[in-house]
Amino acid sequence: MKMDITPDNWPDHYWNYLAQLEVHAIDKNHHALKPWDELAEKCMNLAIKAPFLKGKETGIKSLKLAAAFLKRVMSDFRGVWLFINWGYPYQAACVASSLYENALVVNCISGRDDLAEEILADENGDVPWKPQRLSKMAAQRDLFGEIKNNPPSDKDFEQAWKLCYHNYKLLCKMKHPTLQQIKDETSHATNKQGQFAVIPLPDTRESSVGLKQMIMVIAISKLFSAAKCFAQSSNCSDDDEFHQEFYNFAAEVYSDLKNHISTSGIGLSLIHISEPTRLLSI
């Protein structure tokens, strides 16, 4: 028997009512995020295709380990997308911070058996590099196609790794307890008297679209970067038809991502994304 929700009994029925609110949020957020839906799908498809490339280095230890981390990146990416559409941008940021770190690991160890061995040799199974070190290694890989023992003294490199580290810290700040994110988290559940309800509530405000787009930019760009580095490390021949198809698709995703950033109002300065031109040169 269905019971009506009243001011007295609503706490006992809010769990099921919340599911209805989330369905409504999906409908409303889909309209605001519709331009990103196709790009998110394309980027996921690109990542799925990367492990199927057959090159000279396919099957080496580092790529086998990187494939496991890439799988985690893809799962996190799907989680970010679902949270954003359900109306939980800060929860999406929490998952995105995991995506970010795992993507950096893929960037760093793909094609580097020595670095993969450092992870495998850790007695606790931990990645042995701190986020700042990972950011520097990943920036080298993105800019130069390789990680050198001595980081270059280069203006572009300095900007790239600092931006990479900045975006990671940004996601972590949204994950950790701060007054800034709590103020925003409670504001969409505030009534006319300035009181907020202490309940989970999907965020469907127009003012939160920018935050959701920013998280999507970071998530898509890191998944793209991880898929690109994994593909590079397979060391496919330039005349391989499937490799050529993958490269063309990567170039399309890259172009779409740049266009989405430029039209979102977020600005290209938020994130560094390197063009996939080296795919054919390895």
Side-chain angles (χ1 to χ4, degrees), residues 7-31:
D8 295 323
N9 69 14
W10 73 264
D12 296 323
H13 301 281
Y14 188 71
W15 179 262
N16 292 325
Y17 182 62
L18 182 58
Q20 298 178 38
L21 295 177
E22 289 165 350
V23 170
H24 173 71
I26 290 173
D27 290 337
K28 188 168 183 179
N29 285 326
H30 180 71
H31 176 74

Side-chain angles (χ1 to χ4, degrees), residues 33-46 77 213 216-218 220-221 224 246-268 271 273-276:
L33 297 169
K34 188 175 182 180
W36 296 87
D37 184 61
E38 183 180 359
L39 178 57
E41 180 181 359
K42 281 184 177 181
C43 198
M44 177 69 86
N45 289 344
L46 183 75
F77 184 80
Q213 289 182 343
M216 283 309 303
V217 167
I218 294 175
I220 292 173
S221 64
F224 173 84
F246 181 91
Y247 168 76
N248 291 336
F249 189 35
E252 179 184 334
V253 174
Y254 172 79
S255 177
D256 287 353
L257 178 55
K258 286 187 66 176
N259 289 336
H260 277 65
I261 294 174
S262 64
T263 58
S264 68
I266 297 172
L268 283 168
I271 190 83
I273 46 175
S274 65
E275 196 168 2

Side-chain angles (χ1 to χ4, degrees), residues 100 162 164-174 176:
Y100 206 98
K162 288 179 179 179
C164 179
Y165 186 51
H166 165 79
N167 288 331
Y168 170 71
K169 289 198 299 181
L170 179 67
L171 292 173
C172 286
K173 189 168 184 177
M174 286 189 275
H176 297 311

Side-chain angles (χ1 to χ4, degrees), residues 93-104 129-135 161-176 218 222 270-271:
C94 294
V95 180
S97 67
S98 168
L99 180 158
Y100 206 98
E101 280 194 87
N102 281 281
L104 290 180
W129 312 292
K130 300 297 183 183
Q132 187 176 111
R133 172 64 176 154
L134 275 172
S135 297
W161 84 256
K162 288 179 179 179
L163 187 57
C164 179
Y165 186 51
H166 165 79
N167 288 331
Y168 170 71
K169 289 198 299 181
L170 179 67
L171 292 173
C172 286
K173 189 168 184 177
M174 286 189 275
K175 177 177 68 174
H176 297 311
I218 294 175
K222 296 318 291 181
L270 172 73
I271 190 83

Side-chain angles (χ1 to χ4, degrees), residues 9-253:
N9 69 14
W10 73 264
D12 296 323
H13 301 281
Y14 188 71
W15 179 262
N16 292 325
Y17 182 62
L18 182 58
Q20 298 178 38
L21 295 177
E22 289 165 350
V23 170
H24 173 71
I26 290 173
D27 290 337
K28 188 168 183 179
N29 285 326
H30 180 71
H31 176 74
L33 297 169
K34 188 175 182 180
W36 296 87
D37 184 61
E38 183 180 359
L39 178 57
E41 180 181 359
K42 281 184 177 181
C43 198
M44 177 69 86
N45 289 344
L46 183 75
I48 291 172
K49 291 174 183 291
F52 287 95
L53 292 170
K54 302 298 181 183
K56 297 176 184 177
E57 304 299 327
T58 299
I60 63 174
K61 180 185 292 186
S62 64
L63 282 185
K64 288 181 179 179
L65 183 59
F69 283 103
L70 181 60
K71 181 185 184 302
R72 174 58 187 268
V73 175
M74 289 189 281
S75 296
D76 284 345
F77 184 80
R78 183 62 177 175
V80 169
W81 180 246
L82 291 174
F83 269 131
I84 285 178
N85 277 273
W86 287 340
Y88 299 106
Y90 286 102
Q91 288 64 39
C94 294
V95 180
S97 67
S98 168
L99 180 158
Y100 206 98
E101 280 194 87
N102 281 281
L104 290 180
V105 173
V106 175
N107 287 18
C108 295
I109 70 172
S110 295
R112 289 289 300 267
D113 283 357
D114 57 330
L115 297 180
E117 193 60 48
E118 289 190 42
I119 297 177
L120 295 171
D122 189 276
E123 62 179 9
N124 297 316
D126 295 330
V127 172
W129 312 292
K130 300 297 183 183
Q132 187 176 111
R133 172 64 176 154
L134 275 172
S135 297
K136 291 182 178 180
M137 294 163 67
Q140 284 192 66
R141 183 64 188 271
D142 252 348
L143 286 174
F144 311 116
E146 62 177 337
I147 301 171
K148 302 176 182 179
N149 292 330
N150 297 314
S153 177
D154 181 272
K155 182 179 178 181
D156 290 339
F157 168 69
E158 285 293 315
Q159 182 181 25
W161 84 256
K162 288 179 179 179
L163 187 57
C164 179
Y165 186 51
H166 165 79
N167 288 331
Y168 170 71
K169 289 198 299 181
L170 179 67
L171 292 173
C172 286
K173 189 168 184 177
M174 286 189 275
K175 177 177 68 174
H176 297 311
T178 66
L179 289 178
Q180 295 96 321
Q181 62 99 353
I182 288 299
K183 180 180 179 181
D184 192 51
E185 173 78 19
T186 56
S187 63
H188 75 282
T190 302
N191 62 22
K192 294 179 180 179
Q193 287 73 42
Q195 302 168 322
F196 66 87
V198 189
I199 53 173
L201 184 68
D203 189 350
T204 59
R205 296 172 300 167
E206 290 294 327
S207 60
S208 69
V209 171
L211 172 62
K212 295 168 186 174
Q213 289 182 343
M214 182 191 71
I215 295 171
M216 283 309 303
V217 167
I218 294 175
I220 292 173
S221 64
K222 296 318 291 181
L223 178 59
F224 173 84
S225 180
K228 182 196 71 172
C229 286
F230 190 97
Q232 287 175 327
S233 300
S234 297
N235 199 1
C236 298
S237 62
D238 292 351
D239 58 356
D240 181 275
E241 183 178 350
F242 188 60
H243 176 238
Q244 181 67 54
E245 178 185 323
F246 181 91
Y247 168 76
N248 291 336
F249 189 35
E252 179 184 334
V253 174

